């Protein structure tokens, strides 16, 4: 996740500098480039989950990297259609030093929630315990611009939806035993996760800074393949900055 985010940042910075060379930017303004490159930062919560599937708030983070183009809907109407493409990089951190592992009773593509001590033994210190969910997302939104003469300035609000394909899921665990031996384990599995996600979202603010929220409409897990047969859905929210 960190490596992918760094690559996206470097590509965005390169494109940003190249665009500034081609188009002059007004003092205090943004490059006159059609569309937006958003970096979203936020938190990942689970709705409709059993109590045993609690997550830790701060470590359950979200980073989205989206490029969205801008298609005006009528001349100076204030409305645009903004399709896009990007990456949704999310983490879940379960409470009580627990993690997901396959559940043999449900088959290979499944998961159950177990204490990490059941895997690595007692008398261990858990230093890292997160689950990464990485998606290729297609966001689609209708955006209203308060400044109908210049869509690159002024307040705006957007509503839309996105569909995503899960391309990687893995747990990352670091434990140290009583003898000081540290193990760092990254385990990629399907975990019974739904391969497709979809939901609705909103975004509001100004061209350079927004607040946003996403509400998942389908379950995080595929049917009852997740722990406790949960039908938990995702809820994300946070802030975003636009690089251009």
């Amino acid at each position: 996740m960190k490596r992918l985010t760094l690559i996206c940042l470097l590509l965005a910075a390169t494109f940003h500098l190249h665009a500034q060379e081609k188009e002059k930017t007004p003092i205090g303004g943004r490059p006159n480039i059609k569309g937006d490159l958003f970096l979203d930062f936020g938190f990942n919560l689970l709705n409709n989950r059993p109590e045993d599937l609690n997550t830790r708030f701060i470590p359950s983070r979200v980073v989205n990297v989206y490029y969205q183009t801008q298609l005006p809907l009528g001349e100076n109407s204030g409305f645009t259609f903004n399709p896009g493409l990007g990456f949704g990089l999310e983490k879940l951190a379960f409470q009580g030093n627990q993690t997901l592992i396959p559940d043999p009773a449900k088959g290979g593509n499944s998961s159950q929630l177990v204490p990490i001590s059941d895997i690595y033994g007692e008398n261990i210190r858990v230093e890292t315990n997160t689950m990464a969910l990485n998606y290729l997302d297609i966001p689609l939104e209708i955006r209203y611009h308060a400044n109908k003469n210049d869509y690159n300035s002024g307040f705006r609000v957007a509503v839309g939806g996105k569909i995503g394909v899960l391309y990687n899921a893995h747990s990352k665990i670091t434990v140290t035993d009583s003898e000081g031996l540290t193990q760092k384990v990254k385990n990629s599995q399907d975990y019974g996760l739904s391969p497709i996600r979809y939901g609705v979202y909103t975004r509001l603010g100004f061209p350079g800074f927004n607040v946003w929220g996403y509400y998942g409409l389908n379950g995080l897990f595929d049917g009852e393949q997740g722990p406790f047969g949960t039908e938990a859905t995702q809820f994300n929210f946070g802030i975003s900055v636009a690089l251009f």
Side-chain angles (χ1 to χ4, degrees):
M1 176 176 172
K2 292 180 179 178
R3 192 173 301 172
L4 180 58
T5 303
L6 179 59
I7 292 172
C8 291
L9 288 171
L10 291 175
L11 289 174
T14 302
F15 184 78
H16 180 70
L17 293 174
H18 181 67
Q20 285 185 316
E21 291 176 358
K22 286 190 172 183
E23 301 188 43
K24 294 183 178 180
T25 304
I27 296 176
R30 304 165 68 222
N32 187 23
I33 302 172
K34 299 298 182 183
D36 299 277
L37 179 62
F38 287 114
L39 289 180
D40 296 343
F41 304 94
F43 300 98
N44 188 17
L45 305 179
L46 295 181
N47 288 320
N48 193 31
R49 52 158 179 77
E51 185 176 350
D52 291 335
L53 206 61
N54 285 338
T55 57
R56 292 175 287 146
F57 179 71
I58 297 299
S60 298
R61 300 185 296 269
V62 177
V63 175
N64 297 324
V65 185
Y66 295 151
Y67 172 74
Q68 292 179 259
T69 190
Q70 183 169 282
L71 305 175
L73 299 177
E75 185 176 355
N76 295 330
S77 68
F79 289 95
T80 58
F81 174 57
N82 299 77
L85 183 68
F87 297 100
L89 312 175
E90 305 186 1
K91 286 188 176 180
L92 286 173
F94 297 107
Q95 289 186 358
N97 288 332
Q98 299 186 94
T99 189
L100 296 181
I101 63 171
D103 186 348
K106 299 175 185 174
N109 183 17
S110 64
S111 62
Q112 58 181 318
L113 190 68
V114 301
I116 292 177
S117 59
D118 285 359
I119 306 172
Y120 298 98
E122 302 292 338
N123 300 321
I124 59 170
R125 182 174 71 253
V126 179
E127 299 175 6
T128 303
N129 176 27
T130 57
M131 177 72 60
L133 311 173
N134 298 326
Y135 295 89
L136 177 64
D137 285 335
I138 300 176
L140 304 168
E141 68 181 48
I142 299 293
R143 191 179 298 170
Y144 176 73
H145 305 258
N147 187 341
K148 298 181 180 180
N149 297 315
D150 182 5
Y151 291 172
N152 288 323
S153 65
F155 181 80
R156 59 191 188 181
V157 59
V159 293
K162 68 180 178 182
I163 183 170
V165 177
L166 181 70
Y167 68 88
N168 176 262
H170 63 265
S171 62
K172 184 178 291 185
I173 297 173
T174 303
V175 296
T176 301
D177 63 20
S178 58
E179 297 180 357
L181 177 63
T182 297
Q183 299 183 65
K184 298 180 180 180
V185 181
K186 179 179 177 181
N187 187 7
S188 296
Q189 298 278 349
D190 292 329
Y191 294 108
L193 294 162
S194 175
I196 302 292
R197 72 165 175 181
Y198 53 89
V200 295
Y201 73 91
T202 185
R203 186 188 300 274
L204 57 93
F206 295 87
F209 179 84
N210 298 262
V211 295
W212 60 274
Y214 166 78
Y215 186 88
L217 296 179
N218 69 312
L220 177 64
F221 295 93
D222 191 6
E224 297 184 353
Q225 294 300 100
F228 316 113
T230 181
E231 297 180 356
T233 59
Q234 292 176 294
F235 174 61
N236 306 157
F237 68 94
I239 62 172
S240 69
V241 294
L243 297 186
F244 59 79

